Amino acid sequence: MIEDDQTVTMETRYWNRTEKKQWMIGLFWGCATLYSCRTVMPLVAVPMSKELGWDKTESGSVLSAFFWGYTMTQFLGGYLSDRIGGDVVIPIAACCWSLVTFWTPQLVYLFEDKILTLRLVILSRVLLGVFQGVFMPCITSFIGQFVSTQQRSSSVAFVVAGTYGGTLFCGSVGSFILEVYGWDSVFYFLGLLGMLWMLCMRYFLIHRHRQKYLPFISIEKKPPPPSAINAPTPWVTLFFKPAFWSLLIGHFCENNAFFILLSWLPTYFHENFPDAKGWVFNVVPWLITIPSSIFGGWLADLMITKGWSVTFVRKLMNTITMLGCAFFLVIISYTSSYVGALTCMACAVACCGFHNSGILVNPQDIAPKHAGSVFGIMNMAGAIPGFIGVYMAGHILEATKSWSAVFNQTAGVAVFGWIVYTIFGTGKQII
């Protein structure tokens, strides 16, 4: 009798078609807001550095500081979402990161001392990372709880495509605001936009969600059976699984390429093609990546439905991501024309879109009952190249003045990640 009641509860708590559509759109725009606030600093790095007298190493420190904070809260975000719900964690985090974004320009004008100003800006970037670090593990756990297994790849891919939409929005609208009103206005605009999204989610979606689903979630928690979703994550068992480590390494290597492109792409085009329009090279790569991410999710779900193994599908998506990105990064080193460089950069970033239906959704395959916590650990590893890779890229540029050196080492890291995940990765449940 208890088993029947639990089955009904599990089926009832999945979002219906209308609810799923509303939440996917809401979370898509959440990812867009998240990345708009995150990528504002790379967008304004050049004019801001000129005004404040920063060199490449100091600019790299500011750009990479975000990931020090981002790393700290990955596991916490997944843990809290698994325990108390993403609908509780997400609006609090969004309010905080929006306020940090809004107030960042004021820190620049507080003191005249260059070193102190640099440290304050770095601190604001760390805090931004702290508050944004909980978001991705939250939505992974949240989708895992309220979307059926057969629809998760496409759902995650669609929602995460919002990250490219946010980068696209920041690159287009942000570039316009930057040219017309100055770099500080971009921070004010995006900070207010983040607050607006949070309020809309809080009063139009989250309130109704809690009214309908909180009773079902409460019933499931009393009393929790040994195999319940709240059971402790068997970390010792997981740490001895090669598939788990291949997941971490693969995500690390892909994020190394993605974050370097995300942080240094505007600077690359400003330096090599100074006459190029900022709204073009800040828009085109991310405009192409949105459909590539959605297509990757649709293709992955279709192949699994047609009978292809989950393991093969995840490895195929990872192959397109890693080898495709590495190939175009190597090619761009031999390209001297603006159109050729823009095409290669757009293709490299577009290949990263397939990551959302490969490794990024893999925690739900290998640990469906602990997807939020496992994703948090995976994304913690994936955030490390954000401060190491981005900083080292700036250091290499300062020392060698060579963009080819940056792109070639990034391609090499991507190929290494592909090799490890191809050999050891799996789509089967391991815990």
Side-chain angles (χ1 to χ4, degrees):
M1 188 68 180
I2 294 176
E3 292 180 358
D4 292 340
D5 290 342
Q6 288 173 354
T7 302
V8 172
T9 302
M10 290 296 292
E11 291 176 353
T12 306
R13 78 167 191 189
Y14 284 141
W15 289 324
N16 60 40
R17 187 173 182 178
T18 301
E19 290 171 333
K20 178 174 172 287
K21 182 179 179 180
Q22 293 172 343
W23 272 99
M24 293 303 99
I25 293 174
L27 293 176
F28 175 93
W29 286 113
C31 284
T33 305
L34 180 95
Y35 262 68
S36 293
C37 293
R38 180 184 303 186
T39 56
V40 61
M41 187 61 75
L43 177 72
V44 305
V46 173
M48 197 172 178
S49 297
K50 288 181 180 179
E51 181 177 329
L52 300 175
W54 295 341
D55 59 25
K56 284 289 194 310
T57 301
E58 289 170 330
S59 296
S61 298
V62 172
L63 292 173
S64 63
F66 168 87
F67 297 97
W68 288 98
Y70 191 68
T71 306
M72 297 177 190
T73 52
Q74 291 295 317
F75 175 74
L76 179 63
Y79 176 82
L80 290 176
S81 186
D82 285 345
R83 298 289 172 170
I84 65 176
D87 55 320
V88 177
V89 180
I90 289 174
I92 297 173
C95 180
C96 292
W97 87 55
S98 299
L99 290 174
V100 170
T101 302
F102 183 85
W103 288 110
T104 294
Q106 295 301 315
L107 300 177
V108 174
Y109 302 118
L110 276 179
F111 304 98
E112 295 183 359
D113 183 79
K114 173 187 171 182
I115 302 300
L116 182 57
T117 299
L118 178 65
R119 290 175 178 172
L120 286 174
V121 174
I122 289 175
L123 176 61
S124 73
R125 291 287 290 170
V126 172
L127 289 176
L128 183 68
V130 167
F131 296 124
Q132 289 201 352
V134 303
F135 186 77
M136 296 302 290
C138 275
I139 65 171
T140 299
S141 175
F142 204 41
I143 290 174
Q145 292 173 22
F146 295 101
V147 177
S148 62
T149 305
Q150 293 79 8
Q151 299 176 334
R152 284 177 189 165
S153 292
S154 55
S155 298
V156 171
F158 177 80
V159 169
V160 177
T163 61
Y164 310 120
T167 308
L168 171 64
F169 181 81
C170 184
S172 55
V173 178
S175 293
F176 173 78
I177 296 174
L178 174 63
E179 292 179 7
V180 177
Y181 300 104
W183 62 265
D184 53 343
S185 298
V186 188
F187 285 94
Y188 297 139
F189 174 73
L190 294 177
L192 290 174
L193 196 65
M195 291 295 295
L196 178 62
W197 172 80
M198 183 275 294
L199 292 173
C200 289
M201 288 291 290
R202 173 67 181 82
Y203 291 105
F204 291 105
L205 276 183
I206 293 176
H207 179 68
R208 285 184 297 173
H209 172 85
R210 289 177 181 171
Q211 285 183 324
K212 179 175 180 179
Y213 291 99
L214 191 58
F216 294 117
I217 297 172
S218 300
I219 290 172
E220 288 174 7
K221 289 185 177 180
K222 31 176 211 186
S227 59
I229 210 165
N230 286 350
T233 306
W235 292 114
V236 175
T237 302
L238 195 62
F239 286 152
F240 281 95
K241 299 289 186 179
F244 173 71
W245 289 102
S246 72
L247 185 74
L248 300 188
I249 294 171
H251 192 56
F252 175 97
C253 295
E254 191 278 338
N255 274 13
N256 181 70
F258 179 76
F259 287 144
I260 287 176
L261 292 173
L262 182 71
S263 299
W264 288 105
L265 185 149
T267 305
Y268 167 78
F269 280 103
H270 273 300
E271 290 192 352
N272 290 275
F273 308 99
D275 296 329
K277 296 293 184 181
W279 66 268
V280 176
F281 59 73
N282 284 321
V283 167
V284 172
W286 311 107
L287 185 64
I288 296 175
T289 307
I290 294 174
S292 80
S293 175
I294 296 174
F295 172 74
W298 172 82
L299 179 62
D301 280 349
L302 177 65
M303 293 181 68
I304 292 172
T305 303
K306 294 293 185 181
W308 295 89
S309 71
V310 176
T311 299
F312 175 81
V313 172
R314 301 294 179 238
K315 290 183 178 181
L316 175 63
M317 297 297 110
N318 186 58
T319 299
I320 296 172
T321 301
M322 299 294 206
L323 295 189
C325 184
F327 172 77
F328 288 109
L329 285 176
V330 172
I331 294 298
I332 199 173
S333 302
Y334 300 96
T335 303
S336 57
S337 69
Y338 171 66
V339 174
L342 183 62
T343 301
C344 288
M345 196 68 78
C347 291
V349 177
C351 288
C352 293
F354 287 86
H355 183 69
N356 300 335
S357 49
I359 288 179
L360 198 70
V361 77
N362 202 210
Q364 298 177 10
D365 301 324
I366 67 172
K369 294 181 180 179
H370 312 281
S373 298
V374 173
F375 185 93
I377 293 295
M378 182 188 77
N379 223 28
M380 184 186 300
I384 294 173
F387 54 83
I388 294 180
V390 173
Y391 174 81
M392 286 303 299
H395 183 72
I396 291 171
L397 287 172
E398 189 69 25
T400 66
K401 312 297 182 184
S402 171
W403 284 97
S404 296
V406 174
F407 293 142
N408 289 336
Q409 67 89 17
T410 304
V413 172
V415 172
F416 174 75
W418 170 75
I419 292 172
V420 172
Y421 188 76
T422 299
I423 294 174
F424 299 106
T426 183
K428 297 178 180 179
Q429 182 176 345
I430 60 176
I431 59 171

